[in-house]
Amino acid sequence: MGLLSSLVFPALGFSDLLVFVAPLWIAVAAGVLVGWFWRPKWAYLDTKPFLSDSSPKFFKLPTSILKTSSHSLSSPQADEKEKSGFVTDDDFRHLWKLVEVKDGGPAWIQMMDRSTPTFSYQAWRRDPENGPPQYRSRTVFEDATPEMVRDFFWDDEFRSKWDDMLLYSSTLERCKSTGTMVVQWVRKFPFFCSDREYIIGRRIWDAGRVFYCVTKGVQYPSVPRQNKPRRVDLYYSSWCIRAVESKRGDGEMTSCEVLLFHHEDMGIPWEIAKLGVRQGMWGAVKKIEPGLRAYQRAKAAGAGLSPSAIMAHINTKVSAEEFMNERDSIAEITGEKPTGKNIPKILVVGGAIALACTLDKGLLTKAVIFGVARRFARMGKRM
């Protein structure tokens, strides 16, 4: 019990507590019984699925949440990948919210705005209450298609030609149905730090030539940890790639915009990491554009796709707006709104209000009753 409780409860005698606690328990018991018998038919659990170790069937959900051309999300292969927890539809949903500035996080503070004749770059930072600094950037490449930029960022074999921090890369696992990959990277850090290892899960959603590319750190026990390089567990780096109008002002959608959202815990004090990012950001960004132009020239000369770039062509086709609307409607059905088992919670709170208004024990007693009611409400939420 906290300090607030120790100050409140000694002011009340045992008989006072008994007067309002006993009726409250009666109200709670009545609320649970009424809530149980008032449940709609669809809320009853089927006990057979539990006996067979399969998921209980509360109700039937829509099966066309995502429209894919190469596979169905209900296929065994896709289900297996979704269950693996590498990169799922929730990750797409989160990235979409970041792009649309609907994630509910702190405001972004601009920290850089640079440009050259062939590309422009803007960067923002925000500091969440818990976790490392988060970065958002907007890069626009002139005369580049979303497909080319998508392949460029996914191509680990070509990345080593322009990203001098990448020391090693390997594909640990791939799914030819969803395009999900698990890759291992080792990145070079300054001489006063050991190199860093990343186990990254990644996958691409295609919303009509708008590519949502998710990459994040994942757990992969089959690759044991080592003292060096040091593994980075918290890692998130995802892009939205889409065509935009050229800055030439001709009305042609010949430029490509990349919105990047990135954060990671490298094991370096966050304030020092922020200083290093600010000092080295433009120097690192300037290397990306020459790398993309070299990639364009190589493809124009007939160079084939690397294995990792081939995986960039396996996307989950999705209508982003329809997907978000369907997910919201499903959330209402599945209990994020007060339904089914939340009825006892409503009755408990209502009973507490009636009890507080009936008992003439003063403001302190009412505060205790409401506190107990909130505790039961939280307990009901976890049931």
Side-chain angles (χ1 to χ4, degrees):
M1 296 175 70
L3 177 61
L4 181 60
S5 298
S6 64
L7 293 175
V8 171
F9 280 102
L12 301 173
F14 177 80
S15 59
D16 292 327
L17 287 176
L18 187 61
V19 167
F20 67 82
V21 170
L24 179 61
W25 274 104
I26 295 173
V28 170
V32 170
L33 290 175
V34 173
W36 179 266
F37 287 110
W38 278 6
R39 287 188 306 167
K41 292 182 179 180
W42 51 262
Y44 282 90
L45 297 176
D46 182 6
T47 57
K48 293 182 179 179
F50 289 102
L51 297 177
S52 59
D53 294 330
S54 61
S55 301
K57 298 180 180 179
F58 296 92
F59 35 73
K60 186 177 181 181
L61 297 177
T63 58
S64 59
I65 294 176
L66 295 177
K67 293 181 173 61
T68 60
S69 62
S70 60
H71 72 287
S72 167
L73 288 183
S74 60
S75 65
Q77 298 89 346
D79 285 344
E80 191 64 26
K81 278 299 160 188
E82 290 293 316
K83 292 176 183 177
S84 67
F86 291 140
V87 189
T88 68
D89 294 336
D90 286 336
D91 295 303
F92 163 69
R93 182 182 179 88
H94 177 62
L95 176 56
W96 183 88
K97 286 184 176 181
L98 287 171
V99 172
E100 301 298 326
V101 197
K102 295 182 178 180
D103 66 308
W108 295 99
I109 303 172
Q110 188 166 11
M111 54 185 297
M112 184 169 293
D113 189 350
R114 300 284 187 91
S115 63
T116 71
T118 54
F119 89 110
S120 61
Y121 180 79
Q122 297 170 299
W124 297 261
R125 191 197 77 237
R126 67 183 185 184
D127 299 304
E129 293 184 3
N130 299 308
Q134 298 177 359
Y135 296 91
R136 174 182 184 264
S137 68
R138 178 181 184 265
T139 308
V140 178
F141 299 101
E142 292 291 314
D143 300 313
T145 64
E147 291 80 5
M148 181 67 70
V149 175
R150 174 201 63 190
D151 294 355
F152 169 69
F153 281 120
W154 229 241
D155 195 328
D156 289 344
E157 290 81 356
F158 192 86
R159 177 180 284 270
S160 59
K161 297 181 180 180
W162 60 271
D163 185 355
D164 55 10
M165 288 186 64
L166 184 64
L167 298 178
Y168 172 82
S169 67
S170 174
T171 299
L172 303 177
E173 191 168 338
R174 60 169 61 94
C175 175
K176 294 184 178 180
S177 296
T178 65
T180 302
M181 300 178 68
V182 179
V183 300
Q184 180 186 25
W185 281 7
V186 176
R187 295 184 67 80
K188 181 181 179 181
F189 270 56
F191 66 92
F192 53 84
C193 295
S194 61
D195 297 334
R196 296 297 193 263
E197 176 196 35
Y198 300 79
I199 305 296
I200 299 170
R202 60 192 194 186
R203 180 177 171 186
I204 300 175
W205 283 260
D206 177 3
R209 297 191 71 214
V210 178
F211 299 106
Y212 294 87
C213 309
V214 174
T215 74
K216 66 174 189 176
V218 297
Q219 297 297 317
Y220 204 78
S222 60
V223 178
R225 294 176 180 271
Q226 306 176 55
N227 291 331
K228 294 184 179 181
R230 179 175 176 175
R231 181 170 297 180
V232 175
D233 290 309
L234 179 56
Y235 175 82
Y236 183 85
S237 189
S238 299
W239 316 281
C240 175
I241 302 174
R242 56 193 175 191
V244 294
E245 185 178 345
S246 170
K247 68 178 181 179
R248 291 189 291 265
D250 54 9
E252 298 295 326
M253 305 287 283
T254 54
S255 296
C256 181
E257 175 191 69
V258 179
L259 296 176
L260 169 68
F261 300 88
H262 181 97
H263 65 268
E264 62 178 289
D265 190 350
M266 299 175 286
I268 299 174
W270 294 341
E271 291 302 320
I272 296 177
K274 285 196 294 188
L275 178 62
V277 169
R278 188 174 185 86
Q279 295 298 321
M281 179 178 287
W282 180 239
V285 169
K286 287 193 298 184
K287 296 179 181 179
I288 299 177
E289 203 254 349
L292 174 62
R293 304 308 175 187
Y295 195 73
Q296 287 176 313
R297 291 192 295 270
K299 298 310 170 190
L305 293 174
S306 68
S308 56
I310 290 175
M311 294 299 294
H313 288 235
I314 306 175
N315 309 151
T316 300
K317 308 294 182 182
V318 59
S319 167
E321 183 177 354
E322 180 180 345
F323 176 77
M324 298 307 294
N325 290 339
E326 291 191 7
R327 286 298 299 268
D328 290 341
S329 64
I330 292 172
E332 294 180 2
I333 298 174
T334 55
E336 292 183 14
K337 301 292 183 180
T339 57
K341 65 182 181 181
N342 285 332
I343 292 177
K345 171 184 171 181
I346 297 173
L347 292 177
V348 168
V349 176
I353 294 174
L355 186 62
C357 295
T358 306
L359 293 176
D360 186 16
K361 293 297 181 180
L363 181 61
L364 185 60
T365 304
K366 291 182 174 64
V368 175
I369 293 176
F370 280 116
V372 175
R374 283 196 297 270
R375 176 67 62 86
F376 277 108
R378 288 196 294 270
M379 290 174 60
K381 213 172 186 179
R382 293 194 296 267
M383 289 175 61

